[in-house]
Amino acid sequence: MERIERHASHGGFQEVWQHTSSTLGSGMHFGIYLPAAALAGRRCPVLYWLSGLTCTEQNFITKAGAQRYAAEHGLIVVAPDTSPRGENVADDPAYDLGQGAGFYVNAAQQPWARHYRMYDYVVDELPALVETEFPASAARAISGHSMGGHGALTIALRNPGRYRSVSAFSPIAAPSRVPWGEKAFGAYLGADREAWKQHDTVELLRGATERLPLLVEQGGDDEFLESQLKPELLQAACEAAGHPLQLNIRPGYDHSYYFIASFIGEHIAHHAAALR
Amino acid sequence: MERIERHASHGGFQEVWQHTSSTLGSGMHFGIYLPAAALAGRRCPVLYWLSGLTCTEQNFITKAGAQRYAAEHGLIVVAPDTSPRGENVADDPAYDLGQGAGFYVNAAQQPWARHYRMYDYVVDELPALVETEFPASAARAISGHSMGGHGALTIALRNPGRYRSVSAFSPIAAPSRVPWGEKAFGAYLGADREAWKQHDTVELLRGATERLPLLVEQGGDDEFLESQLKPELLQAACEAAGHPLQLNIRPGYDHSYYFIASFIGEHIAHHAAALR
């Protein structure tokens, strides 16, 4: 494991590390923000942030402005890349499949099955690494944007007790029923839609055993609102299951990092309260 | 003039506009943050932000996290590009000359003299445009980073009464005496170093008639500190001239936007107090 970037930021350090992931069979980068408390050797709780389509570990750490709030609350924030990477890793020319579009699943189909195991990477390998190599406690929270919002919600729902809190910005809440999800799940998981249910928030809510409240932020002018995101399906599924949901529709806001930056402070405060 | 981007951000809008600059003879982009008060039709004071080498209007608006503080204080923030642009505009393969490296001067030498007039663009054309086309008052402040910190300081010193406040991050304070400045001034202004003095903060301080305090932020681990920035020359010049300077050396911080984002809130508060 090697540190490839280190920048002082709000009294702590924003770092980028590269390591070889045994889960993915690929070199991977991740961003990690270490607040002053962590630098002083105290074990700090960790917020995992999962990014959206086309993103690397850079988008969130350069654009979201999360460091200020992480510093304030003494949180470590870990932001992995969105897929395995490299010349030997299968890819597709489209932006919504292959590298940059791992969808936080374990692929079962060729040519994806060998490397595309972002679910296991995020759930197991990355936290184990973070909790061994950094002053991180085992108190975890998870959030993300768009494809990463889908990742955060599905991973939290499938792993009761593993996260103290979960939130999402503009999540792909019902991937089985929208073009981005249908394309990716068809390629990675195959034609049998039964297998898709394990990676679909709306489907997982039916069988959820832990009532971890979902905090979801959604821009009212998001260009993908009706075609890909469908927060009304999430709302209906939470109502049907009796699952606690705080869905904030923000009029005028779009799908960009300007939206995330506007509300990341509130989400980090939410996670910090649960992690305390 | 045409709006090419518009994103809701912290209760206001971050926009990007393109227009044809008569000063530069070039199409230009600039970012403008309009806080809620401006959207409600109130004339708001304006902070001009000048970016550094290689930047466009995008770097500051996506990475500095200034919108939160501009919203809080009701400031408009205008971030122009760093040079004229386009296929018909002279350029150089190096990152520190030509497009992306206008240095906020009016070039006198060929092939630069036709388009490279960023001094006049920032001092005259851009504020006239902003104050005509947007709900902007004539209360102005100016700041910037590196090459843009040099721009902010020199422009404020040369135009008494035009800005209520000035600040800079990691400014090239003595361009006549460092490689970046010597190269750019030699190309744009010519071999006669007398002409350079009008664009050198340390030189301008000798004859400054207005004692506008300088707020300067400098990372202690900035990779360009000793070779290009030389804050000790700025400090000595201010002492010799009796010019008020608050120079904050921040241990551990580098030259990046992580540094800017860490302290932009304090600078915006400083400008807001002067603009009130």
Side-chain angles (χ1 to χ4, degrees):
Chain A
M1 194 163 74
E2 188 194 357
R3 189 170 65 200
I4 56 175
E5 285 187 44
R6 186 171 206 238
H7 310 279
S9 167
H10 292 279
F13 280 96
Q14 177 63 57
E15 301 183 344
V16 177
W17 289 76
Q18 70 182 4
H19 74 120
T20 300
S21 162
S22 57
T23 305
L24 303 171
S26 156
M28 289 294 282
H29 291 181
F30 63 90
I32 184 165
Y33 180 73
L34 299 164
L39 301 172
R42 200 162 348 130
R43 290 207 169 262
C44 295
V46 184
L47 170 63
Y48 290 87
W49 173 270
L50 306 182
S51 292
L53 286 167
T54 76
C55 288
T56 69
E57 83 289 348
Q58 289 290 323
N59 303 64
F60 181 74
I61 66 175
T62 58
K63 293 183 173 181
Q67 292 89 355
R68 177 192 164 150
Y69 308 101
E72 200 175 306
H73 295 286
L75 296 194
I76 291 173
V77 182
V78 173
D81 200 349
T82 56
S83 77
R85 299 279 181 180
E87 282 182 20
N88 66 333
V89 170
D91 200 4
D92 186 279
Y95 76 97
D96 54 1
L97 192 67
Q99 295 188 33
F103 268 87
Y104 306 103
V105 303
N106 295 330
Q109 302 296 311
Q110 296 309 337
W112 313 106
R114 173 156 152 58
H115 296 289
Y116 283 75
R117 304 186 62 79
M118 286 298 290
Y119 179 85
D120 282 354
Y121 177 71
V122 169
V123 173
D124 295 321
E125 186 179 2
L126 186 60
L129 184 77
V130 166
E131 289 160 26
T132 307
E133 301 293 334
F134 297 91
S137 77
R140 303 175 202 100
I142 192 163
S143 185
H145 175 236
S146 194
M147 175 181 77
H150 140 75
L153 295 175
T154 54
I155 284 172
L157 286 167
R158 287 183 60 180
N159 294 277
R162 199 159 175 77
Y163 300 93
R164 300 260 186 97
S165 54
V166 59
S167 78
F169 289 75
S170 336
I172 307 172
S176 308
R177 291 191 251 174
V178 302
W180 276 339
E182 289 182 312
K183 177 177 177 179
F185 286 6
Y188 299 144
L189 304 176
D192 178 6
R193 287 178 171 244
E194 202 53 34
W196 299 12
K197 291 184 176 172
Q198 286 301 305
H199 295 285
D200 183 306
T201 300
V202 160
E203 296 294 336
L204 288 167
L205 279 163
R206 296 185 214 280
T209 55
E210 184 194 46
R211 292 287 171 224
L212 198 64
L214 312 184
L215 170 61
V216 174
E217 215 70 28
Q218 175 61 59
D221 280 6
D222 189 318
E223 55 272 39
F224 301 111
L225 186 63
E226 290 172 24
S227 58
Q228 306 278 9
L229 305 177
K230 297 189 181 295
E232 69 281 5
L233 297 181
L234 176 65
Q235 194 159 30
C238 283
E239 277 168 21
H243 198 103
L245 167 71
Q246 181 180 339
L247 173 61
N248 300 324
I249 305 282
R250 304 293 187 176
Y253 284 84
D254 62 21
H255 200 67
S256 72
Y257 265 89
Y258 292 106
F259 169 55
I260 299 171
S262 297
F263 298 101
I264 193 72
E266 294 178 24
H267 280 239
I268 289 180
H270 169 81
H271 292 294
L275 290 163
R276 214 168 274 139
Chain B
M1 194 163 77
E2 188 193 358
R3 188 170 66 200
I4 55 175
E5 284 188 46
R6 186 172 207 237
H7 310 280
S9 167
H10 292 279
F13 280 95
Q14 178 63 57
E15 301 183 343
V16 177
W17 289 76
Q18 69 182 3
H19 73 120
T20 301
S21 162
S22 57
T23 306
L24 303 171
S26 155
M28 289 293 282
H29 291 182
F30 63 89
I32 183 165
Y33 180 72
L34 298 165
L39 300 172
R42 200 161 349 130
R43 291 207 168 263
C44 295
V46 184
L47 170 64
Y48 291 87
W49 173 271
L50 306 182
S51 291
L53 286 167
T54 77
C55 288
T56 69
E57 83 290 347
Q58 289 291 322
N59 303 64
F60 181 74
I61 66 175
T62 59
K63 294 184 172 179
Q67 293 90 354
R68 176 191 165 152
Y69 308 100
E72 201 175 306
H73 295 286
L75 297 193
I76 291 173
V77 182
V78 173
D81 199 349
T82 56
S83 76
R85 298 279 181 181
E87 283 181 19
N88 66 333
V89 171
D91 200 5
D92 187 279
Y95 76 97
D96 54 1
L97 192 66
Q99 295 187 33
F103 268 86
Y104 306 102
V105 302
N106 296 330
Q109 302 296 311
Q110 295 309 337
W112 313 105
R114 174 158 151 53
H115 296 288
Y116 283 74
R117 305 186 61 78
M118 286 297 290
Y119 179 85
D120 282 352
Y121 178 70
V122 169
V123 173
D124 294 320
E125 185 180 2
L126 186 61
L129 184 77
V130 166
E131 290 161 26
T132 306
E133 300 292 334
F134 297 92
S137 77
R140 304 177 202 98
I142 192 163
S143 185
H145 175 236
S146 195
M147 175 181 77
H150 140 74
L153 296 175
T154 53
I155 284 173
L157 287 167
R158 286 184 61 181
N159 294 276
R162 199 160 175 78
Y163 301 93
R164 299 258 186 99
S165 54
V166 59
S167 79
F169 289 76
S170 335
I172 308 172
S176 309
R177 291 191 250 173
V178 301
W180 276 340
E182 289 181 312
K183 177 177 177 179
F185 286 5
Y188 298 145
L189 304 176
D192 177 8
R193 286 178 172 244
E194 202 52 36
W196 299 11
K197 292 184 176 173
Q198 285 301 304
H199 296 285
D200 183 305
T201 299
V202 160
E203 296 294 336
L204 287 168
L205 279 163
R206 295 185 215 280
T209 55
E210 185 194 45
R211 291 289 171 224
L212 197 65
L214 311 184
L215 170 61
V216 174
E217 215 70 30
Q218 176 60 59
D221 280 6
D222 190 318
E223 55 272 41
F224 302 110
L225 186 63
E226 290 173 23
S227 57
Q228 306 278 9
L229 304 177
K230 298 190 180 295
E232 69 282 5
L233 295 182
L234 176 65
Q235 194 159 30
C238 284
E239 276 167 21
H243 199 104
L245 167 71
Q246 182 180 338
L247 173 62
N248 299 324
I249 304 284
R250 304 292 187 177
Y253 284 84
D254 62 20
H255 199 66
S256 73
Y257 265 88
Y258 293 105
F259 169 56
I260 299 171
S262 297
F263 298 101
I264 192 73
E266 293 178 26
H267 280 238
I268 288 181
H270 169 80
H271 292 294
L275 289 164
R276 213 169 276 141

